[in-house]
Amino acid sequence: MCGRYSLAVSTSEIESWFKAELESGDFSPTWNAAPGQVLPVMVRRDRSWLRPMRWGFQVAVGSGSSFVINARTETVGSKSSFKHLANGFRCVIPSTGFYEWQKRGGEKIPYYIHFPDLPVYGMAGIYRPETLEQESSFLILTTEPKGIIRSIHDRMPLVLDREGVEEWLDGGMDVEVRLNLTEQARGFRAETYTVSNRVNRVGVNGPELVREERHEAVWTLFD
DNA sequence: CCAGACGTTGTT
DNA sequence: GTCTGG
DNA sequence: CCAGACGTTGTT
DNA sequence: GTCTGG
């Protein structure tokens, strides 16, 4: 699953990597992007835009509702809550790395995961457009973890390189077909290591959050 | 038409 | 609220 | 994702 | 246990 990530680059670097223009506002680099925050998200209209959106939204479930921050790639195209968004409101969330918590005994140990060959990348997402009642908000799609990441957690975000970003945003294909295409292995390295549990506190931020405590491995993401 | 499900984890 | 299944 | 709160009155 | 806030 993906519940925290870093976006440790300036707005202008995001604009240039994604060839997109910021619609409004400004963003500082962050090493602790968390659900509930407003973050830059790429959408495609006439051209590519970076739009401020809130991470997560309420989904009706049972008689009540739940705050959801992820959707499974396996089911996003068929679940009633997400199907319409997956077909019409796809987006890409800029990122420079993400965190996963490994359960070890009763402890949860945070790992930072990033890609040395892909220092900036996108995560596939869907979003709810702005309405009179509610601001725009997004979810991050999750998938089966690949390679070394399997030893940390059983889900991870759907990571997109430049080509993947185009495949996810472009064209008129059915969302199931599109996901199959987007999930094709492309083979780049993932570096993973444990970090300080200071990242647990959403109010804490700074480059020290991604400082390595214990190195685990550099491995191929897709094998 | 109505009834029932509808999201993610992780744990048992 | 909205979709699927019957 | 994690952290932290989680009830009611009435009074200041 | 469950909800809210970040």
Side-chain angles (χ1 to χ4, degrees), chain A residues 56-69 82 128 139:
Chain A
F57 54 78
Q58 294 286 334
V59 170
V61 59
S63 53
S65 66
S66 256
F67 184 70
V68 173
I69 61 172
F82 300 137
R128 232 174 28 171
L139 307 181

Side-chain angles (χ1 to χ4, degrees), chain A residues 12 41 46 53 59 64 70 84 97 109 114 119 137 156 191 209 215:
Chain A
S12 61
V41 174
D46 48 328
M53 293 190 200
V59 170
N70 297 123
H84 65 296
I109 300 156
H114 70 127
S137 48
M156 65 173 277
E191 184 177 28
L209 293 182
H215 194 82

Side-chain angles (χ1 to χ4, degrees), chain A residues 15-149:
Chain A
E15 286 183 313
S16 101
W17 198 90
F18 287 91
K19 297 185 174 64
E21 186 186 339
L22 188 65
E23 278 187 348
S24 64
D26 194 19
F27 295 91
S28 301
T30 179
W31 293 264
N32 204 353
Q37 294 178 351
V38 174
L39 296 155
V41 174
M42 179 180 172
V43 294
R44 174 91 23 104
R45 286 283 160 275
D46 48 328
R47 52 200 177 94
S48 299
W49 297 96
L50 289 165
R51 178 176 299 173
M53 293 190 200
R54 196 169 294 275
W55 184 5
F57 54 78
Q58 294 286 334
V59 170
V61 59
S63 53
S65 66
S66 256
F67 184 70
V68 173
I69 61 172
N70 297 123
R72 299 173 66 90
T73 53
E74 296 90 336
T75 55
V76 70
S78 58
K79 294 289 185 187
S80 61
S81 303
F82 300 137
K83 194 177 182 176
H84 65 296
L85 299 181
N87 281 300
F89 298 95
R90 291 183 298 277
C91 63
V92 169
I93 299 94
S95 175
T96 53
F98 60 94
Y99 300 91
E100 297 289 359
W101 279 258
Q102 182 186 56
K103 283 209 93 168
R104 211 186 274 172
E107 267 189 318
K108 287 181 119 174
I109 300 156
Y111 278 75
Y112 185 61
I113 298 144
H114 70 127
F115 310 107
D117 305 322
L118 196 62
V120 180
Y121 62 90
M123 297 184 284
I126 57 175
Y127 71 101
R128 232 174 28 171
E130 184 181 25
T131 68
L132 288 175
E133 297 85 34
Q134 67 202 7
E135 62 193 331
S136 189
S137 48
F138 69 95
L139 307 181
I140 297 173
L141 300 195
T142 63
T143 186
E144 284 285 322
K146 307 290 197 296
I148 191 71
I149 300 168

Side-chain angles (χ1 to χ4, degrees), chain A residues 132-204:
Chain A
L132 288 175
E133 297 85 34
Q134 67 202 7
E135 62 193 331
S136 189
S137 48
F138 69 95
L139 307 181
I140 297 173
L141 300 195
T142 63
T143 186
E144 284 285 322
K146 307 290 197 296
I148 191 71
I149 300 168
R150 277 196 291 257
S151 64
I152 301 170
H153 202 69
D154 64 352
R155 303 296 292 170
M156 65 173 277
L158 176 45
V159 172
L160 306 173
D161 58 12
R162 287 178 199 278
E163 196 183 342
V165 169
E166 292 310 307
E167 284 168 357
W168 181 235
L169 293 180
D170 276 359
M173 283 176 287
D174 178 81
V175 69
E176 311 279 6
V177 175
R178 181 182 308 284
L179 279 167
N180 287 337
L181 185 65
T182 307
E183 289 197 275
Q184 293 301 309
R186 257 184 280 278
F188 41 87
R189 292 177 299 146
E191 184 177 28
T192 70
Y193 50 78
T194 61
V195 293
S196 163
N197 61 12
R198 283 168 44 75
V199 72
N200 291 6
R201 297 180 173 274
V202 293
V204 176

